[in-house]
């Protein structure tokens, strides 16, 4: 498959055939990738009777807004959206700063314990989040951080993955650049801030996108830390809400659609960063 | 940016790495402030406080018959670990986790590689198709679980409906003990294949064209080119992708939790869902921590093994 | 009411963890609101936390409103929050002397014992026959039993639901069956007759559900555990019962391996003729266009029996207004309030002495579910580690036998698991 992309000679009939086959397969892939979302969105507008009556249909017989009405009436929607942005936004910002600082130390400064630090990062990368759930909860309780923004944000304000990824990226930046700066008398802070960070913009953008996405989608963490509806994030609130109306699928699907919407919008506006972003991680 | 270039860059660098006082700064009386710690401090504090300390804590739980809320805890030593080894549910969960990981990682690599090769050129059409394939990756597993669960439902789901249209009986995907795991794996692959595709795509773009030309002159065609040029060239990328995917799939939780919660009859019960049930539904926190630690050990061992296999050079 | 359960459990454990810590000496006082400390000036204010966020929420709110309108000296403020929120906060709040005066700690009646471990519940002493007292003799016995520990009552039922037989009238007509089955033999027979053409006779759920299988066993005179909390599954009645019912599943009269939500969906889609379910399901089925009938669960060999579920309504041991809080509980479970609540929600009253109320009798849903109260039983009441008995013992048992595995062997395995979980010495 990949060869015909590089060689551009006369298309032979065999090539034309593989070309067609390729696009047939890709077409199937596109349908499989998209249909669940189409079904989710249209399903959120369908009545129960409609859904049960014609399960094979993708379109509602009659558009109904009752799923959305149910959610709008019972949830402080704007507040939840705001919480989600605060949680995902602030945490992402802190993560970028803290991760890049640690990564800078690991990649650019030789110090006793750096290997140990690096292995610590690698090891924490492999800790299943659920393992630490209860001890962390108890810890937050003793700190008095439950149901607060800082309780939600600070424990997540760094990520082993981010440190690891940025370290790899920083190492690949030629050392000559900071040597030159050092001769001019620059300290670590200036090198970090004025040389390394600007060069690492693509990696930082990637990381920002990945973090924001994961934090926005995170369910268990906000469920554990927050307890009042005023502090919940959108996905967490919608999930609980959905569970209580299990008989009405439209409400659940409306909830799913609503919590996906901001992310989908962001994706279409900034997909370059999403896609290019993930790609840069792969180079390491 | 590959491992090789990293190494050469390092080899080329001048010896003293800090401007003010390198390794040779001989001022033994004065404590020398190390700026690295300042840079490391915020992350280090968070990692130590919210990951390392809790996991040590959970190891402590695993040595007790830890009951939540109890005034005193009963010390049992390694009894939890011994019990685990004799627990058929544990072996079942381990089996399910391994099957899930192996099948989904391999399927993702194959499909992701196929898609990446097919969409390698930067035409506008290819870009759109790539975005479409990538889209499921950004969606929360909780949402994906809900949507697929409904879609697969034999009585209301689209898939059941379509099956009926073609005249067949709807298939109880998530209710049948032998179909549930394949169904969950398929959904997981569906979600993640875009991620793998993008990563591999970046790797493919980094393969110098002259390598292909040279191989072609030697008479290599089709599969041979892939086997002898493409795959070796993207090895670091493959390692990264495989490692991340393996670690993630060994920890699979959200998707299973929302789609089947380990059922039916433990057919999709992974190590983390089992741990979750023991800890959070059955209140056996000590036992749950034991499972967690065994999983942790497995992941560590496997990662070390993978690093070795791929001879991943970056730690010194 | 059922899928949320999974979220909650995390929270419960977490909260209990905290309760454990704090009772062990910590004195964190991060100022939880809710504790009213005002003196005699003005009416006494009580805070109430409940988890009724579902479709029945309005009925509870109306009830509190009526109470406030009729009581000048006591004003209750109800804060509705998801069950898991309560489960997270309440144990630590109550164990450290904060939190609301009154709350529904959980929808699981077994929770009472856990709160007693931290001495968080007020012993209810305003008990008796009079007005303003908690008429314990008239409350649903199953609930009273679950909330009484060592002879002391610690909670009243905030609500009481029973399971009844839902049936699809259209499907009954098509199969030429006049009405719902009257006894357990007829139940099985009719289920077989109704099966065919893509329709199941009975929609059964095995997991993540309000329990349906225990009712089937009870109908045949069986049970899950005995009074010493030992598994009772290997008695001849139980083996016989589990064998016949699982045979129905194997013969595709009932579906295999459904969750509660899937079982509901099957019935909603008109693909199952009968189902055992509670009052909360009725509105959804009518919305889905089902020609719905609600009938008593067919009579079992030992008479009428069905499953009950109830949420406890309890008072903090540290409330400053124990008398007023008990007055509120007494009013909540009184005839007037229960009538209002039943008519609005479709739930049966928590009292057993309201059967002849003409208005209630005229309401089809209420009377159907109320009729089942006298014979209603709770699932695994008072059994130690009941959730574990359920998830590791009973659910796997049902899963195995409905997939055609040998019943006696499966019972053997389940018996061992259950006995080791409950600590039965038998």
């Amino acid at each position: 498959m990949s060869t015909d992309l590089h060689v551009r000679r006369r298309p032979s009939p065999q090539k034309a055939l593989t070309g067609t086959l390729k696009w047939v397969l890709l077409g199937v892939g596109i349908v499989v990738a998209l249909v669940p979302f189409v079904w989710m969105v249209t399903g959120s507008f369908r009545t129960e009777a409609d859904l049960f009556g014609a399960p094979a249909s993708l379109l509602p017989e009659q558009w109904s807004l009752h799923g959305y009405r149910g959610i709008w009436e019972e949830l402080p929607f704007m507040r939840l959206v705001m919480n989600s942005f605060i949680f995902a936004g602030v945490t992402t910002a802190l993560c970028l700063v803290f991760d890049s600082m640690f990564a800078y130390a690991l990649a650019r400064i030789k110090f006793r314990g750096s290997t140990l630090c690096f292995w610590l990062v690698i090891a924490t990368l492999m800790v299943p989040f659920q393992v630490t759930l209860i001890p962390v909860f108890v810890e937050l309780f003793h700190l008095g951080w439950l149901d607060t923004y800082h309780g939600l944000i600070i424990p997540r304000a760094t990520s082993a993955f981010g440190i690891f990824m940025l370290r790899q990226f920083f190492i690949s930046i030629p050392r000559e650049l900071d040597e030159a700066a050092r001769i001019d008398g620059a300290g670590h802070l200036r090198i970090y801030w004025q040389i390394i960070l600007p060069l690492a913009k693509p990696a930082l953008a990637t990381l920002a996108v990945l973090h924001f996405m994961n934090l926005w989608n995170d369910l268990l963490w906000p469920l554990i830390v927050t307890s009042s509806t005023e502090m919940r994030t959108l996905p967490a609130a919608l999930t609980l809400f959905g569970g209580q109306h299990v008989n009405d699928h439209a409400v659940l699907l409306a909830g799913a659609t609503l919590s996906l919407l901001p992310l989908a919008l962001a994706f279409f506006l900034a997909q370059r960063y999403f896609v290019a972003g993930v790609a840069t991680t792969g180079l390491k | 940016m590959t491992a090789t270039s990293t190494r050469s860059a390092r080899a080329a660098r001048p010896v003293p790495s800090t401007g003010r006082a390198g390794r040779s700064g001989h001022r033994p009386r004065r404590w020398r402030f190390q700026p690295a710690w300042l840079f490391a401090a915020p992350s280090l504090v968070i990692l130590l406080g919210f990951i390392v300390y809790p996991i040590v804590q959970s190891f402590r739980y695993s040595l007790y018959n830890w009951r939540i809320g109890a005034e005193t805890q009963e010390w049992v030593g390694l009894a939890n670990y011994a019990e685990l080894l004799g627990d058929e549910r544990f072996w079942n969960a381990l089996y399910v986790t391994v099957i899930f990981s192996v099948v989904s990682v391999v399927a993702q690599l194959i499909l992701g590689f196929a898609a990446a090769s097919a969409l390698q050129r930067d035409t506008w059409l290819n870009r759109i198709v790539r975005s479409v394939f990538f889209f499921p990756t950004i969606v929360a597993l909780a949402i994906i679980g809900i949507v697929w669960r409904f879609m697969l439902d034999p009585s209301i789901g689209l898939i059941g409906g379509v099956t009926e249209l073609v005249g067949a009986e709807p298939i109880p995907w998530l209710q049948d003990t032998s179909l549930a795991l394949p169904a969950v794996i398929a959904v997981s692959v569906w979600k993640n294949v875009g991620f793998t595709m993008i990563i591999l795509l970046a790797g493919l773009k980094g393969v110098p064209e002259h390598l292909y030309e040279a191989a072609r002159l030697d008479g290599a065609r089709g599969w041979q080119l892939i086997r002898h040029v493409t795959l070796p060239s993207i090895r670091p990328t493959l390692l990264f992708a495989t490692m991340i995917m393996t670690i993630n799939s060994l920890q699979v939780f959200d998707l299973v939790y929302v789609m089947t919660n380990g059922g039916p009859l433990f057919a999709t019960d992974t190590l983390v869902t089992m741990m979750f049930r023991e800890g959070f539904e059955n209140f056996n926190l000590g036992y749950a921590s034991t499972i967690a630690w065994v999983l942790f050990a497995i992941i560590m061992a496997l990662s070390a093994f993978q690093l070795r296999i791929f001879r991943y050079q970056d730690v010194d | 009411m059922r899928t949320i359960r999974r979220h909650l459990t995390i929270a419960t454990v977490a909260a209990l963890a905290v309760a454990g810590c704090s009772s062990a000496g910590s004195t964190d006082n991060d100022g939880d609101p809710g504790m009213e400390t005002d003196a005699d000036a003005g009416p006494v204010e009580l805070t109430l936390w409940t988890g009724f966020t579902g479709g029945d929420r309005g009925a509870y709110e109306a009830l509190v409103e009526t109470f406030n309108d009729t009581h000048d000296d006591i004003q209750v403020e109800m804060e509705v929050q998801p069950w898991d929120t309560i489960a997270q906060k309440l144990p630590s709040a109550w164990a450290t002397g904060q939190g609301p005066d009154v709350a529904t700690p959980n929808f699981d009646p077994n929770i009472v014992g856990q709160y007693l471990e931290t001495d968080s519940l007020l012993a209810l002493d305003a008990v008796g026959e009079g007005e303003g007292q908690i008429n314990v003799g008239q409350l649903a016995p199953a609930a009273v039993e679950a909330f009484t520990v060592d002879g002391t009552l610690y909670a009243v039922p905030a609500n009481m639901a029973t399971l009844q037989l839902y049936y699809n009238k259209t499907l009954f007509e098509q199969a030429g069956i006049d009405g719902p089955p009257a006894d357990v033999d007829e139940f099985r027979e009719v289920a077989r007759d109704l099966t065919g053409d893509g329709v199941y006779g009975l929609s059964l759920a095995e997991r993540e559900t309000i329990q349906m299988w225990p009712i089937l066993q009870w109908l045949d005179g069986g049970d899950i555990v005995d009074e010493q909390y030992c598994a009772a599954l290997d008695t001849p009645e139980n083996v016989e019962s589990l064998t016949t019912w699982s045979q129905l599943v194997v013969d595709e009269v009932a579906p295999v391996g459904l969750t509660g939500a899937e079982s509901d969906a099957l019935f909603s889609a008109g693909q199952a003729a009968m189902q055992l379910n509670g009052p909360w399901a009725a509105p959804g089925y009518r919305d889905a266009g089902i020609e719905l009938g609600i009938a008593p669960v067919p009579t079992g060999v030992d008479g009428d029996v069905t499953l009950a579920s109830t949420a406890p309504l309890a008072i903090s041991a540290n409330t400053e207004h124990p008398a007023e809080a008990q007055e509120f509980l007494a009013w909540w479970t009184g005839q007037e309030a229960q009538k209002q609540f039943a008519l609005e929600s479709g739930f049966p009253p928590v009292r057993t002495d309201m059967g002849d109320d003409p208005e209630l009798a005229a309401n089809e849903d209420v009377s159907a579910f109320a009729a089942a109260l006298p014979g209603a039983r709770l699932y695994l009441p008072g059994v130690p580690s009941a959730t574990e008995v359920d998830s590791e013992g009973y659910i796997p048992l049902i899963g195995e036998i409905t997939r055609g595995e040998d019943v006696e062997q499966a019972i053997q395995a389940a018996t061992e698991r259950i006995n080791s979980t409950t600590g039965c010495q038998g």
Side-chain angles (χ1 to χ4, degrees), chain A residues 172-195:
Chain A
S172 72
I173 297 175
R175 292 227 163 217
E176 289 74 12
L177 291 173
D178 22 333
E179 295 309 330
R182 190 154 303 145
I183 291 167
D184 293 343
H188 278 301
L189 200 61
R190 245 175 78 191
I191 296 174
Y192 161 75
W193 190 254
Q194 289 182 348
I195 296 178

Side-chain angles (χ1 to χ4, degrees), chain A residues 3-121:
Chain A
T3 55
D4 58 354
L5 300 172
H6 296 280
V7 204
R8 281 168 220 152
R9 302 200 190 109
R10 255 177 325 115
S12 67
Q14 197 202 348
K15 285 241 169 75
L17 189 69
T18 43
T20 321
L21 184 67
K22 181 181 106 175
W23 279 102
V24 168
L25 290 176
L26 285 174
V28 172
I30 292 169
V31 170
V32 172
L34 287 185
V35 160
F37 297 107
V38 176
W39 189 85
M40 172 183 88
V41 174
T42 58
S44 69
F45 292 106
R46 293 170 77 169
T47 59
E48 288 292 274
D50 179 15
L51 190 64
F52 290 125
S57 154
L58 257 184
L59 286 179
E61 216 165 71
Q62 198 181 359
W63 297 76
S64 153
L65 280 173
H66 76 285
Y68 292 90
R69 215 175 297 126
I71 282 184
W72 186 261
E73 276 165 10
E74 302 217 8
L75 287 182
F77 196 74
M78 297 321 284
R79 172 89 199 198
L80 296 173
V81 172
M82 191 186 84
N83 285 345
S84 284
F85 273 109
I86 291 178
F87 168 57
V90 176
T91 313
T92 302
L94 287 176
C95 249
L96 290 186
V97 176
F98 294 167
D99 288 1
S100 61
M101 282 165 61
F102 200 172
Y104 177 83
L106 290 174
R108 280 299 202 257
I109 313 178
K110 199 131 187 114
F111 64 105
R112 283 171 70 107
S114 71
T115 310
L116 186 71
C117 280
F118 182 70
W119 279 111
L120 179 85
V121 170

Side-chain angles (χ1 to χ4, degrees), chain A residues 52 141 223-224 227 232 243-244, chain C residues 3 14 18 53 85 88-89 268:
Chain A
F52 290 125
F141 169 78
L223 269 180
I224 288 294
S227 49
R232 284 225 189 283
Q244 290 146 2
Chain C
T3 44
V18 166
T53 50
T85 303
Q88 260 181 17
K89 289 205 292 192
S268 287

Side-chain angles (χ1 to χ4, degrees), chain A residues 114-147:
Chain A
S114 71
T115 310
L116 186 71
C117 280
F118 182 70
W119 279 111
L120 179 85
V121 170
I122 297 281
T124 51
L125 193 62
M126 294 160 194
V127 176
F129 164 63
Q130 293 80 7
V131 178
T132 60
L133 213 55
I134 287 285
V136 166
F137 183 88
V138 173
E139 205 180 339
L140 289 179
F141 169 78
H142 284 303
L143 291 169
W145 286 11
L146 286 177
D147 213 22

Side-chain angles (χ1 to χ4, degrees), chain C residues 171-249:
Chain C
L171 293 177
F172 268 65
E173 228 162 84
Q174 280 168 10
I177 297 167
D178 298 334
D183 62 34
V184 56
D185 290 328
E186 203 186 326
F187 190 15
R188 284 188 274 251
E189 216 170 282
V190 166
R192 280 188 188 278
D193 294 345
L194 285 158
T195 303
D197 253 356
V199 170
Y200 290 105
L202 177 65
S203 179
L204 275 180
E206 67 173 19
R207 61 204 159 92
E208 292 166 51
T209 180
I210 185 91
Q211 293 76 18
M212 303 177 182
W213 273 87
I215 304 179
L216 304 180
Q217 276 188 268
W218 292 336
L219 287 177
D220 291 320
D223 207 346
I224 302 164
V225 291
D226 62 20
E227 274 158 22
Q228 280 77 48
Y229 306 133
C230 299
L233 293 161
D234 54 0
T235 63
E237 303 89 57
N238 278 310
V239 175
E240 171 72 26
S241 173
L242 289 169
T243 308
T244 24
W245 284 110
S246 60
Q247 193 56 45
L248 285 187
V249 179

